[in-house]
Amino acid sequence: MEEEKQEHTTGWSYDFDEEYGENNEFVEQAPVLTRAEQEAQVKQTLLDLYAGIAVGVVLLLVIGNLILRGSLYFTLGTLAGAITAACLAGYMYHSVLVATEYPEKQAAGYMKRSSVIRMVIMIAVIGASVFFLGKHGLFGTVLGTLSLKLSALLWPVIHKYNPFTRVK
């Protein structure tokens, strides 16, 4: 089968085997993945997030303990925040896999409920750190919990250089 080449007003020629919708905008066809492939991608993302959390927490511990001159409460708070971040990432993994089993509206509702549960968990851990660890522990817990956000922001770099990456 010969591929048709058409010229646009720019003078460039393109192979047209994609679909174009109304107003000639490109409609990208998403690849159809099996359930096992979807689970493998989500699991790899989770492993990348765990790697990012670990790297971020080590950096936080080194910098924070240099600034605070080895505060035990900061270290405990940072570790509590890191454990919380890892648990939240695992819960997100579980939520995504469960939500893919539901129809679209039910999946959206399920994801909203799971995000509220994650928020309640974060607030409870931060509240406990205020009660048990004081201000340095609170600071460490918040930073440790935010290591999940840092890990998500750095995910493309982590995914590219993670030696345990299986899915490219």
Side-chain angles (χ1 to χ4, degrees), residues 4 14 16 27 41 45 52-54 63 66 68 110 116-117 124 129 138-139 143 149 155 165:
E4 248 182 271
Y14 296 98
F16 283 103
V27 179
Q41 282 185 348
T45 302
I53 290 169
I63 294 169
L66 286 174
L68 297 173
Y110 179 80
V116 168
I117 291 170
S129 73
L138 169 65
F139 186 60
L143 289 177
K149 302 296 183 191
W155 179 84
T165 299

Side-chain angles (χ1 to χ4, degrees), residues 33 40 47 49-50 53 67 80-81 109 112-113 145 157:
L33 300 175
L47 294 175
L49 286 176
Y50 284 158
I53 290 169
I67 293 171
K112 287 177 186 175
R113 283 190 302 276
T145 305
V157 175

Side-chain angles (χ1 to χ4, degrees), residues 99-111:
T100 58
E101 297 291 324
Y102 291 129
E104 187 176 346
K105 282 189 177 184
Q106 289 177 334
Y110 179 80
M111 290 305 290

Side-chain angles (χ1 to χ4, degrees), residues 56-126:
V57 166
V58 167
L59 289 174
L60 285 172
L61 283 172
V62 169
I63 294 169
N65 280 316
L66 286 174
I67 293 171
L68 297 173
R69 295 184 174 91
S71 171
L72 175 66
Y73 290 132
F74 175 78
T75 302
L76 291 175
T78 305
L79 293 176
I83 292 169
T84 302
C87 290
L88 294 175
Y91 186 65
M92 278 191 283
Y93 165 74
H94 172 74
S95 298
V96 167
L97 290 180
V98 170
T100 58
E101 297 291 324
Y102 291 129
E104 187 176 346
K105 282 189 177 184
Q106 289 177 334
Y110 179 80
M111 290 305 290
K112 287 177 186 175
R113 283 190 302 276
S114 67
S115 68
V116 168
I117 291 170
R118 287 192 308 271
M119 188 66 68
V120 168
I121 291 170
M122 274 196 311
I123 291 170
V125 170
I126 290 172

